[in-house]
mmCIF file of all heavy atoms in Angstrom:
data_model
loop_
_atom_site.group_PDB
_atom_site.id
_atom_site.type_symbol
_atom_site.label_atom_id
_atom_site.label_comp_id
_atom_site.label_asym_id
_atom_site.label_seq_id
_atom_site.Cartn_x
_atom_site.Cartn_y
_atom_site.Cartn_z
ATOM 1 N N GLN A 751 19.045 -122.321 -167.988
ATOM 2 C CA GLN A 751 17.856 -122.398 -167.148
ATOM 3 C C GLN A 751 18.097 -121.831 -165.768
ATOM 4 O O GLN A 751 19.213 -121.856 -165.259
ATOM 5 C CB GLN A 751 17.460 -123.872 -166.943
ATOM 6 C CG GLN A 751 16.966 -124.572 -168.167
ATOM 7 C CD GLN A 751 16.538 -125.988 -167.817
ATOM 8 O OE1 GLN A 751 17.378 -126.817 -167.528
ATOM 9 N NE2 GLN A 751 15.250 -126.257 -167.871
ATOM 10 N N LEU A 756 23.679 -112.440 -159.103
ATOM 11 C CA LEU A 756 24.558 -111.976 -158.033
ATOM 12 C C LEU A 756 24.900 -110.529 -158.363
ATOM 13 O O LEU A 756 25.558 -110.259 -159.372
ATOM 14 C CB LEU A 756 25.827 -112.831 -157.969
ATOM 15 C CG LEU A 756 26.840 -112.412 -156.902
ATOM 16 C CD1 LEU A 756 26.291 -112.645 -155.501
ATOM 17 C CD2 LEU A 756 28.163 -113.161 -157.085
ATOM 18 N N ASN A 774 25.517 -142.103 -170.831
ATOM 19 C CA ASN A 774 24.337 -142.798 -171.350
ATOM 20 C C ASN A 774 23.522 -141.932 -172.294
ATOM 21 O O ASN A 774 22.441 -142.334 -172.715
ATOM 22 C CB ASN A 774 23.424 -143.226 -170.188
ATOM 23 C CG ASN A 774 24.134 -144.174 -169.253
ATOM 24 O OD1 ASN A 774 24.837 -145.066 -169.684
ATOM 25 N ND2 ASN A 774 23.959 -143.953 -167.962
ATOM 26 N N LYS A 782 27.026 -122.494 -165.163
ATOM 27 C CA LYS A 782 27.909 -121.470 -165.722
ATOM 28 C C LYS A 782 27.342 -120.117 -165.337
ATOM 29 O O LYS A 782 26.281 -120.039 -164.725
ATOM 30 C CB LYS A 782 27.986 -121.602 -167.244
ATOM 31 C CG LYS A 782 28.771 -122.814 -167.715
ATOM 32 C CD LYS A 782 29.245 -122.614 -169.144
ATOM 33 C CE LYS A 782 30.403 -123.559 -169.450
ATOM 34 N NZ LYS A 782 31.265 -123.047 -170.508
ATOM 35 N N ALA A 784 26.867 -115.813 -166.797
ATOM 36 C CA ALA A 784 27.056 -114.726 -167.758
ATOM 37 C C ALA A 784 27.079 -113.428 -166.963
ATOM 38 O O ALA A 784 26.345 -113.287 -165.983
ATOM 39 C CB ALA A 784 25.918 -114.703 -168.766
ATOM 40 N N LEU A 793 26.422 -107.457 -172.532
ATOM 41 C CA LEU A 793 26.886 -108.762 -172.062
ATOM 42 C C LEU A 793 28.411 -108.709 -172.024
ATOM 43 O O LEU A 793 29.054 -108.491 -173.056
ATOM 44 C CB LEU A 793 26.410 -109.869 -173.009
ATOM 45 C CG LEU A 793 26.930 -111.281 -172.713
ATOM 46 C CD1 LEU A 793 26.460 -111.775 -171.357
ATOM 47 C CD2 LEU A 793 26.474 -112.242 -173.810
ATOM 48 N N SER A 832 20.154 -126.974 -155.988
ATOM 49 C CA SER A 832 19.114 -127.985 -156.120
ATOM 50 C C SER A 832 19.781 -129.135 -156.869
ATOM 51 O O SER A 832 20.071 -129.035 -158.057
ATOM 52 C CB SER A 832 17.957 -127.382 -156.919
ATOM 53 O OG SER A 832 16.836 -128.202 -156.915
ATOM 54 N N MET A 844 15.214 -134.688 -155.775
ATOM 55 C CA MET A 844 16.123 -133.561 -155.568
ATOM 56 C C MET A 844 16.359 -133.341 -154.079
ATOM 57 O O MET A 844 15.553 -133.752 -153.245
ATOM 58 C CB MET A 844 15.523 -132.254 -156.129
ATOM 59 C CG MET A 844 15.390 -132.201 -157.634
ATOM 60 S SD MET A 844 13.697 -131.868 -158.131
ATOM 61 C CE MET A 844 13.448 -130.239 -157.437
ATOM 62 N N ILE A 846 18.535 -130.178 -151.393
ATOM 63 C CA ILE A 846 19.186 -128.871 -151.396
ATOM 64 C C ILE A 846 20.542 -128.972 -150.702
ATOM 65 O O ILE A 846 20.619 -129.382 -149.541
ATOM 66 C CB ILE A 846 18.301 -127.814 -150.702
ATOM 67 C CG1 ILE A 846 17.016 -127.617 -151.520
ATOM 68 C CG2 ILE A 846 19.057 -126.498 -150.531
ATOM 69 C CD1 ILE A 846 16.006 -126.706 -150.861
ATOM 70 N N LEU A 856 33.700 -117.533 -158.414
ATOM 71 C CA LEU A 856 34.207 -118.183 -159.627
ATOM 72 C C LEU A 856 34.136 -119.702 -159.504
ATOM 73 O O LEU A 856 33.958 -120.409 -160.490
ATOM 74 C CB LEU A 856 35.647 -117.750 -159.905
ATOM 75 C CG LEU A 856 35.845 -116.256 -160.182
ATOM 76 C CD1 LEU A 856 37.317 -115.949 -160.411
ATOM 77 C CD2 LEU A 856 35.004 -115.809 -161.379
ATOM 78 N N ALA A 869 14.383 -135.146 -147.965
ATOM 79 C CA ALA A 869 13.041 -135.608 -147.627
ATOM 80 C C ALA A 869 12.828 -135.609 -146.115
ATOM 81 O O ALA A 869 13.728 -135.932 -145.345
ATOM 82 C CB ALA A 869 12.836 -137.010 -148.184
ATOM 83 N N GLY A 896 7.975 -131.888 -153.081
ATOM 84 C CA GLY A 896 7.002 -132.664 -153.837
ATOM 85 C C GLY A 896 5.834 -133.063 -152.963
ATOM 86 O O GLY A 896 6.010 -133.371 -151.773
ATOM 87 N N ASP A 902 -0.081 -140.003 -165.477
ATOM 88 C CA ASP A 902 -0.998 -139.391 -166.433
ATOM 89 C C ASP A 902 -1.754 -140.492 -167.174
ATOM 90 O O ASP A 902 -1.584 -141.682 -166.902
ATOM 91 C CB ASP A 902 -0.252 -138.439 -167.373
ATOM 92 C CG ASP A 902 0.691 -139.169 -168.335
ATOM 93 O OD1 ASP A 902 0.617 -140.412 -168.437
ATOM 94 O OD2 ASP A 902 1.501 -138.482 -168.973
ATOM 95 N N THR A 910 3.983 -133.120 -158.736
ATOM 96 C CA THR A 910 3.357 -131.895 -158.253
ATOM 97 C C THR A 910 4.197 -131.400 -157.090
ATOM 98 O O THR A 910 4.627 -132.199 -156.254
ATOM 99 C CB THR A 910 1.924 -132.173 -157.761
ATOM 100 O OG1 THR A 910 1.199 -132.827 -158.792
ATOM 101 C CG2 THR A 910 1.213 -130.882 -157.388
ATOM 102 N N HIS A 915 8.911 -122.984 -146.694
ATOM 103 C CA HIS A 915 9.709 -121.912 -146.086
ATOM 104 C C HIS A 915 10.336 -122.415 -144.793
ATOM 105 O O HIS A 915 9.660 -123.061 -143.994
ATOM 106 C CB HIS A 915 8.786 -120.712 -145.800
ATOM 107 C CG HIS A 915 9.450 -119.581 -145.054
ATOM 108 N ND1 HIS A 915 8.778 -118.780 -144.175
ATOM 109 C CD2 HIS A 915 10.726 -119.112 -145.074
ATOM 110 C CE1 HIS A 915 9.610 -117.865 -143.667
ATOM 111 N NE2 HIS A 915 10.786 -118.043 -144.202
ATOM 112 N N ASN A 920 22.094 -119.082 -139.146
ATOM 113 C CA ASN A 920 23.410 -118.977 -139.782
ATOM 114 C C ASN A 920 23.418 -119.370 -141.260
ATOM 115 O O ASN A 920 24.459 -119.341 -141.902
ATOM 116 C CB ASN A 920 24.429 -119.833 -139.018
ATOM 117 C CG ASN A 920 23.997 -121.289 -138.932
ATOM 118 O OD1 ASN A 920 23.045 -121.701 -139.613
ATOM 119 N ND2 ASN A 920 24.681 -122.057 -138.115
ATOM 120 N N GLU A 941 -2.103 -128.020 -159.197
ATOM 121 C CA GLU A 941 -1.159 -126.953 -159.534
ATOM 122 C C GLU A 941 0.219 -127.286 -158.977
ATOM 123 O O GLU A 941 0.369 -127.603 -157.803
ATOM 124 C CB GLU A 941 -1.623 -125.618 -158.945
ATOM 125 C CG GLU A 941 -0.630 -124.477 -159.218
ATOM 126 C CD GLU A 941 -1.105 -123.140 -158.672
ATOM 127 O OE1 GLU A 941 -1.987 -122.529 -159.304
ATOM 128 O OE2 GLU A 941 -0.603 -122.714 -157.608
ATOM 129 N N THR A 964 -0.214 -130.140 -163.379
ATOM 130 C CA THR A 964 0.622 -131.329 -163.259
ATOM 131 C C THR A 964 0.727 -132.095 -164.580
ATOM 132 O O THR A 964 1.774 -132.664 -164.901
ATOM 133 C CB THR A 964 0.061 -132.240 -162.157
ATOM 134 O OG1 THR A 964 0.167 -131.545 -160.916
ATOM 135 C CG2 THR A 964 0.814 -133.558 -162.068
ATOM 136 N N PRO A 992 -4.142 -111.667 -157.547
ATOM 137 C CA PRO A 992 -4.839 -112.271 -158.694
ATOM 138 C C PRO A 992 -4.007 -112.283 -159.970
ATOM 139 O O PRO A 992 -4.179 -113.141 -160.813
ATOM 140 C CB PRO A 992 -6.090 -111.408 -158.850
ATOM 141 C CG PRO A 992 -5.806 -110.150 -158.112
ATOM 142 C CD PRO A 992 -4.853 -110.495 -157.025
ATOM 143 N N TRP A 997 3.203 -109.627 -169.490
ATOM 144 C CA TRP A 997 3.305 -109.016 -170.801
ATOM 145 C C TRP A 997 3.082 -110.087 -171.847
ATOM 146 O O TRP A 997 3.258 -111.279 -171.588
ATOM 147 C CB TRP A 997 4.671 -108.342 -170.981
ATOM 148 C CG TRP A 997 5.770 -109.205 -170.467
ATOM 149 C CD1 TRP A 997 6.475 -110.113 -171.164
ATOM 150 C CD2 TRP A 997 6.229 -109.256 -169.117
ATOM 151 N NE1 TRP A 997 7.355 -110.741 -170.346
ATOM 152 C CE2 TRP A 997 7.232 -110.241 -169.080
ATOM 153 C CE3 TRP A 997 5.889 -108.563 -167.946
ATOM 154 C CZ2 TRP A 997 7.899 -110.551 -167.903
ATOM 155 C CZ3 TRP A 997 6.560 -108.872 -166.792
ATOM 156 C CH2 TRP A 997 7.559 -109.864 -166.774
ATOM 157 N N THR A 1018 15.588 -99.908 -159.198
ATOM 158 C CA THR A 1018 14.973 -100.715 -160.242
ATOM 159 C C THR A 1018 14.879 -102.178 -159.826
ATOM 160 O O THR A 1018 15.829 -102.732 -159.265
ATOM 161 C CB THR A 1018 15.786 -100.621 -161.551
ATOM 162 O OG1 THR A 1018 15.903 -99.244 -161.907
ATOM 163 C CG2 THR A 1018 15.111 -101.379 -162.682
ATOM 164 N N GLU A 1037 11.974 -105.255 -166.356
ATOM 165 C CA GLU A 1037 12.341 -104.349 -165.272
ATOM 166 C C GLU A 1037 11.210 -103.390 -164.985
ATOM 167 O O GLU A 1037 10.341 -103.129 -165.839
ATOM 168 C CB GLU A 1037 13.628 -103.588 -165.607
ATOM 169 C CG GLU A 1037 13.496 -102.663 -166.803
ATOM 170 C CD GLU A 1037 14.749 -101.822 -167.011
ATOM 171 O OE1 GLU A 1037 15.719 -102.384 -167.555
ATOM 172 O OE2 GLU A 1037 14.742 -100.637 -166.628
ATOM 173 N N LEU A 1040 11.196 -99.561 -158.668
ATOM 174 C CA LEU A 1040 10.792 -100.160 -157.392
ATOM 175 C C LEU A 1040 9.512 -99.517 -156.856
ATOM 176 O O LEU A 1040 8.627 -100.210 -156.348
ATOM 177 C CB LEU A 1040 11.933 -100.026 -156.372
ATOM 178 C CG LEU A 1040 11.675 -100.594 -154.972
ATOM 179 C CD1 LEU A 1040 11.362 -102.087 -155.028
ATOM 180 C CD2 LEU A 1040 12.884 -100.347 -154.064
#
Side-chain angles (χ1 to χ4, degrees):
Chain A
Q751 292 183 290
L756 179 67
N774 299 318
K782 288 201 160 206
L793 175 63
S832 189
M844 292 124 63
I846 295 174
L856 297 179
D902 69 12
T910 306
H915 175 212
N920 57 11
E941 177 178 283
T964 296
W997 43 91
T1018 304
E1037 64 174 78
L1040 180 59

